């Protein structure tokens, strides 16, 4: 008895091959898409945006950015300056720096601006120390400064005392020079406060080096 082997029809065989190829192609496309899909959550790479400078930036004067420092490391004067409490800004020059007042200095409210500048005399970081020294000096030179600053002498005592007992010699020098400028401005009106102003000097060991300056202060007020 002869046995015959049943063969699958050719059309069915082609259909099976096509189906297999289609399934394989679909799987490949799915795998490729899953690789290209961006990762979610914390696995997604961070995109850093680059700040684009404006053409006008090159025309503006270079000024100090008070927001560059961390708020945790700023002194009280730096915070006041950053918040606009001192109506001026630093301008960098080729030879030396200067400050530019946002309003005319003779229109500045001495209370509390000149008091804040006196507090800044104990600054050791640039540009805060420069702004404090220069701003204090320039306000005392405006017309009518004597009448404006004399009622504030009591408020200036503590800032000066803090600067005059500072361990940094540069701070002490700045405070002493500012005291000379103040005495030149108010004259004998400083007499009732002179003892408080000069008391911290006795605590320093550099009296001889500043004797002439101290005598100048006393000569101006008596």
């Amino acid at each position: 008895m002869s046995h015959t082997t049943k063969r699958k029809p050719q059309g069915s065989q082609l259909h099976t091959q096509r189906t297999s190829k289609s399934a394989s192609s679909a799987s490949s496309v799915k795998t490729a898409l899953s690789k290209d899909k961006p990762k979610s959550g914390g696995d997604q790479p961070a995109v850093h945006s680059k700040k684009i400078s404006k053409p006008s930036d090159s025309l503006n004067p270079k000024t100090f950015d008070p927001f560059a420092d961390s708020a945790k490391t700023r002194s009280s004067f730096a915070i006041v300056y950053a918040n606009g409490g001192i109506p001026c800004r630093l301008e960098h020059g080729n030879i030396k720096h200067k400050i530019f007042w946002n309003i005319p200095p003779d229109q500045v409210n001495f209370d509390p601006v000149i008091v804040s500048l006196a507090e800044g005399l104990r600054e050791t970081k640039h540009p805060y120390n420069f702004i404090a020294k220069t701003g204090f000096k320039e306000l005392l030179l405006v017309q009518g400064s004597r009448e404006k600053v004399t009622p504030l002498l009591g408020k200036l005592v503590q800032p000066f005392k803090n600067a005059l007992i500072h361990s940094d010699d540069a701070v002490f020098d700045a405070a002493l020079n500012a005291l000379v400028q103040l005495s030149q401005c108010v004259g004998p009106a400083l007499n009732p406060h002179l003892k408080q102003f000069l008391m911290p000097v006795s605590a320093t060991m550099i009296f001889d080096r500043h004797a002439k300056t101290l005598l100048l202060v006393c000569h101006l007020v008596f």
Side-chain angles (χ1 to χ4, degrees):
M1 186 174 179
S2 61
H3 299 278
T4 60
T5 304
K6 294 182 179 180
R7 301 178 65 181
K8 183 182 279 190
Q10 187 174 1
S12 177
Q13 185 176 5
L14 291 174
H15 176 72
T16 303
Q17 292 176 352
R18 291 173 180 172
T19 303
S20 177
K21 289 181 178 179
S22 299
S24 177
S25 299
S27 177
S28 299
V29 173
K30 183 177 180 181
T31 302
L33 289 174
S34 64
K35 290 181 179 180
D36 294 337
K37 186 177 180 180
K39 297 179 181 180
S40 59
D43 297 334
Q44 186 173 358
V47 179
H48 300 282
S49 59
K50 185 177 180 181
K51 183 179 179 181
I52 302 176
S53 59
K54 298 179 294 184
S56 59
D57 291 344
S58 61
L59 302 177
N60 295 331
K62 294 181 180 179
T63 57
F64 172 72
D65 180 8
F67 301 97
D69 295 337
S70 171
K72 294 182 179 180
T73 61
R74 292 180 190 167
S75 63
S76 58
F77 177 78
I79 294 174
V80 170
Y81 177 70
N83 292 334
I86 310 296
C88 68
R89 67 175 185 268
L90 176 69
E91 287 193 352
H92 296 271
N94 294 330
I95 300 177
K96 61 180 181 179
H97 305 319
K98 62 181 181 179
I99 61 174
F100 177 82
W101 293 94
N102 301 332
I103 58 176
D106 58 353
Q107 297 181 15
V108 172
N109 291 325
F110 274 47
D111 189 9
V113 175
I114 202 165
V115 178
S116 297
L117 290 169
E119 293 172 349
L121 292 173
R122 62 195 306 266
E123 290 287 335
T124 57
K125 292 183 179 181
H126 182 79
Y128 304 119
N129 51 1
F130 178 82
I131 291 171
K133 291 185 295 184
T134 308
F136 189 86
K137 178 180 179 180
E138 291 188 2
L139 284 186
L140 291 179
L141 294 177
V142 302
Q143 186 175 2
S145 59
R146 180 175 183 176
E147 291 74 15
K148 294 179 180 179
V149 74
T150 298
L152 303 177
L153 290 176
K155 293 183 178 182
L156 295 176
V157 170
Q158 192 60 46
F160 268 91
K161 289 175 66 175
N162 293 337
L164 289 169
I165 62 174
H166 201 281
S167 59
D168 192 313
D169 287 351
V171 172
F172 181 89
D173 291 344
L176 198 56
N177 289 332
L179 185 58
V180 171
Q181 296 159 9
L182 182 63
S183 66
Q184 290 173 337
C185 178
V186 301
L190 192 62
N191 287 350
H193 309 279
L194 190 59
K195 183 177 180 180
Q196 292 178 293
F197 275 108
L198 297 180
M199 189 180 299
V201 178
S202 61
T204 67
M205 304 303 294
I206 50 178
F207 181 89
D208 292 340
R209 183 160 66 90
H210 297 282
K212 292 183 179 180
T213 306
L214 293 173
L215 290 175
L216 177 60
V217 174
C218 296
H219 173 72
L220 288 169
V221 300
F222 288 108

